Amino acid sequence: MTILFCFAHPDDESFSGAGTAMRCAAAGAKTVLVTATLGERGKRGDPPVCEEADLPAVREHELRNAAAVIGFDELHLLGYRDRELADAPPEAMRRVLVSHLRRLRPAVVVTFDPNGFNAHPDHVAISRFCSEAIAAAADPRWHPDAGAPHQVRRLLWTPPVAPWDAVALDLDLAAQPGADFVIDVSAFRKRRIAALRAHRTQHLSVDRYFFDRPELDRIVDVEIWRQAWGPALATRPSRDVFDGL
Ligand SMILES: [Zn+2]
């Protein structure tokens, strides 16, 4: 089985997804990351880790380091402009994502929820493009030269409650709407932390949600996903993203 993570920026995969990817890989699945932009208009750190002109190259390097720590089998950079993803041509975006979906044939795809998790326009955009490409990939009338049709079995979204908030508020995730998958990734804690640390230019936000928090270990030990669609779950939350496939 293959699981495809489709995100907007370098570091999105380390905020949410790294633990699930490592757990799936340990169980024998192929894991692939698609990142749409280089986050080249993001922060550079305080003090700055690099010159502004070097940020795209530095962030690509950070992403490649994080992806190596996580152990993705493939990493694909789509090269769209940071903070302009919503304006990307839908036809070109659909074609590239349909090509990846038909070649990789993932059972599960993970992306941002339609509100982009934190309402970031690029997060909203990649959610929209990814959802549309999944539907198109299953229909042979779309891009017939881009491979044989493929039906994704399950689409997962980022959750309505972030792990750092769930831990801080001591929420009962079993009772939280949208916490459809609660994945124990504690076995991969050290590597999860290393992947977050790889994004050195993003240390301000990484510190804010992870390393400045006394509950760091509990935060990095869990990942939460919402099922957009897929086979009905016998119990919520499920503990396995391939549950029922
Ligand atoms: Zn992002």
Side-chain angles (χ1 to χ4, degrees):
M1 295 245 233
T2 296
I3 182 167
L4 171 66
F5 296 82
C6 194
F7 289 131
H9 309 113
D11 83 358
D12 292 341
E13 83 297 329
S14 294
F15 270 78
S16 323
T20 301
M22 288 188 273
R23 189 176 163 134
C24 290
K30 178 173 181 172
T31 62
V32 180
L33 173 62
V34 168
T35 302
T37 81
L38 287 178
E40 70 273 11
R41 293 160 91 178
K43 295 189 177 74
R44 287 183 291 142
D46 183 21
V49 170
C50 65
E51 299 296 324
E52 195 161 358
D54 297 332
L55 190 57
V58 170
R59 292 206 70 181
E60 179 176 344
H61 185 67
E62 291 172 345
L63 175 61
R64 292 192 183 281
N65 285 344
V69 167
I70 297 163
F72 283 110
D73 293 293
E74 297 181 21
L75 165 63
H76 298 280
L77 303 173
L78 302 187
Y80 286 94
R81 294 264 301 161
D82 188 24
R83 294 194 208 167
E84 295 178 19
L85 195 56
D87 298 327
E91 185 77 13
M93 180 64 92
R94 184 192 311 111
R95 172 176 286 279
V96 69
L97 291 177
V98 165
S99 298
H100 282 306
L101 288 163
R102 289 184 179 163
R103 180 180 57 81
L104 296 162
R105 312 191 81 71
V108 178
V109 174
V110 181
T111 190
F112 283 103
D113 63 272
N115 300 316
F117 188 59
N118 57 359
H120 191 301
D122 289 348
H123 295 177
V124 174
I126 197 66
S127 177
R128 168 165 62 87
F129 289 129
C130 184
S131 302
E132 205 241 310
I134 288 171
D139 183 339
R141 298 172 300 175
W142 288 105
H143 308 297
D145 57 334
H150 172 67
Q151 177 68 60
V152 171
R153 305 282 308 280
R154 170 172 284 142
L155 176 63
L156 296 181
W157 285 334
T158 44
V161 57
W164 44 89
D165 291 331
V167 168
L169 300 171
D170 209 17
L171 295 179
D172 173 14
L173 288 174
Q176 281 298 311
D180 297 328
F181 292 82
V182 174
I183 311 299
D184 176 357
V185 298
S186 55
F188 310 99
R189 184 190 292 167
K190 279 188 182 160
R191 283 165 61 203
R192 257 216 93 187
I193 287 173
L196 285 162
R197 291 275 190 218
H199 294 285
R200 292 177 55 233
T201 56
Q202 305 308 303
H203 73 91
L204 291 172
S205 54
V206 170
D207 289 349
R208 182 172 161 209
Y209 293 110
F210 293 94
F211 296 118
D212 288 348
R213 302 214 175 199
E215 321 93 335
L216 171 67
D217 287 351
R218 286 170 61 210
I219 294 170
V220 295
D221 280 357
V222 67
E223 287 188 336
I224 309 166
W225 305 107
R226 180 178 176 190
Q227 174 153 284
W229 45 259
L233 298 171
T235 55
R236 294 177 194 254
S238 170
R239 306 289 169 183
D240 173 10
V241 294
F242 292 119
D243 188 2
L245 300 185

